[in-house]
Amino acid sequence: MSLDRIELRGLRVRGRHGCLPAERELGQEFVVDAVLGLDTRPAAAGDDLSLTVDYGSLADRLVAAVGGEPVDLIETLADRLAKICLEDAAVSEVEITVHKPNAPVPHPFTDVAVKIQRSRP
């Protein structure tokens, strides 16, 4: 059986992640995409929010994590966000992308991003 998807894309949050002192001091915008894999049929059958993911509440938790304790690597931040998504019992797997559009790269670029996939053991 393939899983259904709930997608929360383009969540914009200011955070202080990065290896450089200026990134920690000044902060910058991060953009998060979370794609959740789950079975939405029970929620749909009962028209019941408690049987699916409340994406408003999830957005609140992801924003708190990005705006919270700084880390050096966006790989670490992505892993932290994936764990938050998997705390929801309905979620079987998650794909997280953390975009760092203002990364300190000395050349013209459009985006720097890390994409990870995690699932329940």
Side-chain angles (χ1 to χ4, degrees):
M1 173 183 77
S2 66
L3 293 172
D4 303 319
R5 301 273 182 244
I6 293 177
E7 300 183 9
L8 176 60
R9 296 195 179 270
L11 186 63
R12 298 182 180 283
V13 188
R14 188 152 189 88
R16 297 180 179 276
H17 309 287
C19 295
L20 301 177
E23 293 179 296
R24 294 291 181 102
E25 185 179 323
L26 302 173
Q28 61 189 292
E29 182 180 68
F30 294 84
V31 182
V32 174
D33 301 326
V35 180
L36 312 174
L38 66 157
D39 183 358
T40 62
R41 290 176 296 179
D47 198 27
D48 186 346
L49 177 61
S50 72
L51 299 176
T52 189
V53 173
D54 179 341
Y55 46 80
S57 173
L58 175 62
D60 289 342
R61 295 191 312 275
L62 296 176
V63 165
V66 175
E69 186 67 30
V71 294
D72 288 343
L73 303 177
I74 58 175
E75 291 87 343
T76 305
L77 179 60
D79 189 67
R80 182 183 290 174
L81 299 176
K83 288 175 181 171
I84 290 169
C85 294
L86 289 170
E87 287 173 356
D88 190 311
V91 177
S92 297
E93 62 185 33
V94 62
E95 179 182 277
I96 294 288
T97 306
V98 176
H99 303 266
K100 191 174 180 179
N102 299 306
V105 176
H107 305 283
F109 72 100
T110 301
D111 191 20
V112 170
V114 168
K115 182 180 292 192
I116 65 168
Q117 295 180 323
R118 300 289 185 267
S119 58
R120 293 192 181 285

